[in-house]
Amino acid sequence: MNKRILSVLVENHAGVLSRIAGLFSRRGYNIDSLSVGTVEDPAYSRMTIGITADDWQTEQIMKQLNKQVPVIKVVELLPDDSLIREILIIKVSAPVEARREIKDLADLYKASVLDITQDTMVLEVTGQQKKIESFIDHMKTYGLLEIARSSSVGMQRGSSVF
Amino acid sequence: MEGAKAIIESIEKHGTDRVFGHPGGAVLPLYEALRASGLVHVLTRTEQGAAHAASGYARMSGKPGVCIVTSGPGATNIITGIATAQADSVPLLVITGQVQRSRIGTDAFQEADITGASEPFTKHTYLVQDADELPRIMKEAFHIASTGRPGPVLIDIPVDIQKAEVKDSCDPQIHIRGYKPVFHGNRKQIKKAISAIEKSERPLVCAGGGILCSGARTPLNLFLQKTGIPVVHTLMGNSAIDGGLANSMGMIGSHGHLRAKQALRESDLLIIIGARISDRATAGGQIFESHKTIVHIDIDPAEVGKNIETQIPIVGDAGDVVMYLLKNMDPDRSWNWEPCRTPSEEPVPSKTRADKLDPAVLLHSVSKKADPDAIFTADVGLNQIWAARHIEMSGKRRFLTSGGLGTMGYGLPSAIGAKMAAPGRQVFAVMGDGGIQMSLGELGTLAESGEKVVILLLNNQYLGMVRELQDNAYGKECRHGVRFEKGPDFVKIAEAYGLRSAHACDMESFEKILHLSLAGKDSWLIDCKIDSKINSVRRF
């Protein structure tokens, strides 16, 4: 069982999200994450779905997805050929004396500061899952107040378009 | 044009002559348009009955069966019928009324989220939000239901949309980007299959219900005759094989024939055509997992490799692939092997109790007397297994049953629908006393229709199949909840509906009633008192 990411192009209308999400639950597939957004043509959306599955299950999931009428195309985003990113917004406790240190760490992670108050900071970082998790670990030192995290979105490298 | 009229016109345009339904408040405009149309309306007594009748109609006509039911409970009642059609790949177009758009989501009277609830059981669903989309949605729905692997499509139509004006009702072009079923099997893959078949010593064909969906019965039987390759079939594939075929080995699966199972065991290459190979067909699975080459032909790519590993997958229409096989296989090569150890099959008992009927004897007798193109529907349970095992599917006979979902109450309404699609053919509904009590109201539908169906009620005053399962799992002393202590007098019930009916307690009386029922124009219910000790399959 591996973690994998599927990119699914679907028609953009009501009911499609529940149809796809329902497919996973009723067939007993493991779904880790799901993100949806419209694409260049507003008639379509792209779903990026994180799953935990072996090769056989992945094939079954892709076939069942393809069978759905609103599904246009399904590809697996293989780690070596794909760009996969998550976004994290994190509110940390940041008294004046800690700000410099937090800012230095944020720079290392190419995180940006979205908001600042007397004793808190809100930071934004994008990257692969491991980078996000490592950044969260560092922030624990200062006191995590709130976390909002997207699931993965991604696409294949190179000039091919799907 | 009014939305309702556009819907009805679209149904007429797609070649069906009738709809099966049960009206209610949320489909009033539709029924008004229906009244003014040339379509026949068949009023079933439950919404589930409408779906089953439409299923029988669809399976015999080859066109989608159309149902119209109201919102809320009308819609939720039809779900079992939809799921039954989905499991057996039957094309249905189900139209449900919905509360007016402004009330959706307010828990209005008779409001139910039917597109949400029916989603797992449909090939596709629509909730119509704009009357102008009606012509396109109707056309798409018919297309999706009837092409590729057929299945039910549900269209939920708010009542205000039915009354709204459709601006452009002309024939729209449809283009569904995500729906492009493959019809022609990949020629390279088929050639690979041919070379594997030609190398094999003991090839075997396994025919499923897909043969009947695709209309591939004739080419398949030609292929079997020419090559001499033995054939087994699944429950859904019963009547896909001409009964007279010498190389037909019978039915596989948990209630199948021993000869078929032995053929499976001994074959070195298996050509599965239009079958899912479900848990009932594998009956434990071992015989499929032995080392052999498997060629799996199915129109649904998701079925290939799902239940059984395959070496040569071919996605395409059964008829198309079989025709190509037929044309391209070495015409001089033939295989006429038989299983080495052919176990003796269940014989037709020669001695039976004088006061009770034996289902095998009874059905053999029906089998001999029925027309060569008779249609048999079977309900679910012991009656289904008996019908599948003892009625010979010779000639152009057809066998219809709820094989996938196993829905009790399917037999009677589906027989009515089948008769309407094939008025010139004899139709028998083989029922148990459990299943008929789930669909008694449809006796009224039958009486009203004026169509002739002969109901063979195999009455043992038990839910016999469940009893058998309980006996096997827990022992005979643990039977619970499976006995009808006070079975009703079915003859009186049938007569109350205006049908002809009689009790049969022995073969002599049965033969007389059968003769009478076959001769006349009236529908009959023959209440056959079956020896309640008899189980699904008897081994001697």
Side-chain angles (χ1 to χ4, degrees):
Chain A
M1 296 279 260
N2 295 320
K3 293 221 174 278
R4 297 159 187 263
I5 301 218
L6 302 179
S7 180
V8 187
L9 189 67
V10 300
E11 282 178 31
N12 177 25
H13 54 68
V16 177
L17 177 60
S18 82
R19 193 162 185 109
I20 302 299
L23 171 71
F24 278 83
S25 65
R26 69 176 170 266
R27 290 202 180 263
Y29 303 143
N30 296 311
I31 186 163
D32 300 328
S33 66
L34 174 66
S35 92
V36 197
T38 52
V39 295
E40 61 286 358
D41 179 347
Y44 302 101
S45 298
R46 188 178 313 280
M47 292 185 175
T48 311
I49 306 176
I51 57 171
T52 303
D54 59 24
D55 286 348
W56 182 82
Q57 281 172 328
T58 306
E59 189 190 326
Q60 297 305 306
I61 293 171
M62 289 175 77
K63 279 179 171 175
Q64 290 296 338
L65 283 168
N66 266 315
K67 199 167 144 173
Q68 306 302 314
V69 174
V71 170
I72 314 291
K73 201 169 174 187
V74 184
V75 294
E76 183 181 353
L77 296 178
L78 299 167
D80 291 346
D81 302 330
S82 312
L83 301 159
I84 295 162
R85 296 290 180 269
E86 281 184 26
I87 180 165
L88 168 80
I89 298 176
I90 186 168
K91 190 179 281 180
V92 289
S93 168
V96 181
E97 57 276 18
R99 273 188 204 159
R100 186 71 252 162
E101 222 175 291
I102 294 173
K103 182 68 177 64
D104 285 350
L105 265 170
D107 288 345
L108 282 176
Y109 281 86
K110 291 187 184 151
S112 49
V113 179
L114 299 183
D115 187 45
I116 187 159
T117 67
Q118 283 297 321
D119 41 16
T120 65
M121 282 171 91
V122 177
L123 301 154
E124 174 203 318
V125 59
T126 59
Q128 296 192 38
Q129 206 176 9
K130 276 185 185 159
K131 176 182 167 186
I132 303 277
E133 271 155 18
S134 142
F135 187 69
I136 294 172
D137 274 348
H138 279 294
M139 290 301 118
K140 279 179 186 160
T141 323
Y142 306 98
L144 297 183
L145 297 173
E146 204 176 324
I147 278 180
R149 216 173 142 171
S150 76
S151 59
S152 302
V153 291
M155 66 172 63
Q156 287 175 320
R157 288 178 186 274
S159 57
S160 69
V161 175
F162 116 84
Chain B
M1 184 190 292
E2 197 186 41
K5 193 157 182 254
I7 296 163
I8 299 298
E9 272 195 3
S10 175
I11 296 170
E12 285 178 312
K13 212 184 294 173
H14 285 90
T16 185
D17 64 341
R18 66 193 62 220
V19 300
F20 300 85
H22 203 290
V27 285
L28 290 181
L30 262 177
Y31 268 73
E32 175 51 23
L34 191 57
R35 183 185 64 80
S37 77
L39 290 173
V40 176
H41 175 251
V42 181
L43 173 64
T44 55
R45 274 23 177 199
T46 64
E47 289 83 357
Q48 195 188 132
H52 294 332
S55 165
Y57 180 86
R59 288 167 87 170
M60 290 319 302
S61 69
K63 292 173 202 154
V66 182
C67 309
I68 303 179
V69 297
T70 195
S71 63
T76 53
N77 269 350
I78 205 170
I79 291 179
T80 303
I82 295 173
T84 306
Q86 168 88 337
D88 290 342
S89 310
V90 178
L92 291 190
L93 188 85
V94 179
I95 296 172
T96 53
Q98 181 55 278
V99 299
Q100 64 190 62
R101 276 172 297 171
S102 60
R103 294 208 181 125
I104 290 180
T106 66
D107 300 324
F109 177 67
Q110 293 197 329
E111 182 192 351
D113 170 18
I114 194 61
T115 48
S118 65
E119 199 173 78
F121 314 113
T122 46
K123 190 169 173 186
H124 195 48
T125 58
Y126 293 93
L127 169 59
V128 185
Q129 306 268 21
D130 178 352
D132 287 329
E133 289 191 328
L134 274 172
R136 175 186 61 82
I137 288 177
M138 289 296 294
K139 195 172 176 184
E140 281 188 7
F142 272 107
H143 176 67
I144 292 170
S146 56
T147 52
R149 178 180 181 180
V153 176
L154 181 139
I155 311 177
D156 196 24
I157 311 177
V159 67
D160 57 317
I161 296 259
Q162 296 168 34
K163 285 185 277 194
E165 192 64 18
V166 178
K167 275 190 226 97
D168 189 4
S169 59
C170 71
D171 196 22
Q173 286 293 311
I174 57 165
H175 170 71
I176 314 165
R177 255 187 94 183
Y179 182 71
K180 294 188 179 72
V182 175
F183 183 83
H184 297 291
N186 182 301
R187 286 351 191 195
K188 261 193 204 154
Q189 282 295 97
I190 306 179
K191 282 184 181 145
K192 218 166 127 186
I194 291 175
S195 91
I197 297 167
E198 286 176 349
K199 270 185 217 134
S200 71
E201 297 289 321
R202 299 164 87 80
L204 180 70
V205 168
C206 174
I211 302 288
L212 297 163
C213 294
S214 130
R217 184 175 167 161
T218 306
L220 176 69
N221 284 281
L222 201 63
F223 171 81
L224 295 170
Q225 268 168 23
K226 267 184 85 174
T227 59
I229 297 179
V231 59
V232 294
H233 61 80
T234 63
L235 178 66
M236 290 301 293
N238 190 13
S239 75
I241 309 299
D242 288 343
L245 215 60
N247 43 351
S248 173
M249 306 277 152
M251 183 169 78
I252 59 164
S254 50
H255 295 88
H257 295 108
L258 297 172
R259 194 163 172 235
K261 291 182 194 181
Q262 193 58 31
L264 258 184
R265 245 177 236 124
E266 293 181 19
S267 65
D268 61 356
L269 178 135
L270 186 61
I271 310 158
I272 302 166
I273 313 176
R276 294 182 291 139
I277 310 300
S278 73
D279 54 329
R280 280 296 164 107
T282 52
Q286 307 87 342
I287 34 180
F288 279 92
E289 281 154 17
S290 60
H291 180 75
K292 70 182 73 173
T293 307
I294 289 178
V295 179
H296 194 165
I297 302 160
D298 203 288
I299 197 149
D300 181 357
E303 288 303 342
V304 180
K306 185 182 91 178
N307 292 333
I308 184 168
E309 205 182 315
T310 171
Q311 284 74 45
I312 307 174
I314 301 173
V315 174
D317 175 72
D320 172 76
V321 176
V322 172
M323 291 287 271
Y324 193 83
L325 282 175
L326 198 57
K327 278 190 205 141
N328 291 279
M329 277 189 41
D330 180 356
D332 298 328
R333 189 70 204 275
S334 83
W335 296 259
N336 283 292
W337 65 277
E338 285 215 20
C340 301
R341 291 193 315 109
T342 300
S344 55
E345 276 307 334
E346 174 185 348
V348 181
S350 49
K351 276 189 186 169
T352 55
R353 286 177 58 177
D355 58 335
K356 293 277 183 201
L357 286 159
D358 185 297
V361 178
L362 186 150
L363 292 169
H364 273 280
S365 160
V366 173
S367 193
K368 276 196 206 112
K369 299 204 172 71
D371 286 350
D373 67 346
I375 299 162
F376 294 87
T377 69
D379 211 67
V380 168
L382 291 184
N383 66 85
Q384 180 182 36
I385 303 305
W386 290 332
R389 289 176 64 91
H390 303 301
I391 301 170
E392 199 180 313
M393 287 298 138
S394 51
K396 293 285 169 199
R397 285 184 181 171
R398 270 298 295 268
F399 181 76
L400 309 179
T401 193
S402 166
L405 199 68
T407 306
M408 286 172 70
Y410 179 78
L412 174 56
S414 63
I416 300 170
K419 181 71 184 181
M420 287 170 172
R425 292 166 72 169
Q426 232 173 27
V427 177
F428 294 89
V430 180
M431 304 288 296
D433 49 319
I436 201 164
Q437 290 187 77
M438 289 193 176
S439 53
L440 275 178
E442 305 311 340
L443 291 174
T445 312
L446 175 61
E448 221 164 61
S449 73
E451 304 283 1
K452 178 183 170 182
V453 170
V454 176
I455 302 164
L456 302 170
L457 174 59
L458 307 184
N459 184 354
N460 60 3
Q461 291 196 275
Y462 269 106
L463 293 171
M465 181 64 94
V466 189
R467 179 197 64 194
E468 187 176 329
L469 293 171
Q470 286 183 345
D471 286 357
N472 293 340
Y474 305 105
K476 285 188 179 172
E477 64 287 356
C478 297
R479 288 179 182 175
H480 192 65
V482 290
R483 171 90 174 137
F484 293 111
E485 297 287 350
K486 287 185 181 168
D489 185 335
F490 290 104
V491 171
K492 279 187 184 159
I493 291 175
E495 282 172 354
Y497 276 108
L499 300 173
R500 301 199 62 187
S501 189
H503 298 288
C505 299
D506 53 51
M507 277 311 286
E508 201 188 334
S509 62
F510 176 75
E511 304 260 2
K512 267 189 203 154
I513 301 162
L514 182 68
H515 182 77
L516 210 62
S517 71
L518 295 185
K521 283 186 176 158
D522 300 324
S523 282
W524 271 82
L525 183 150
I526 311 179
D527 180 22
C528 312
K529 304 286 186 201
I530 297 291
D531 182 351
S532 68
K533 290 198 173 60
I534 300 173
N535 275 341
S536 60
V537 179
R538 282 168 289 174
R539 306 285 183 216
F540 293 90

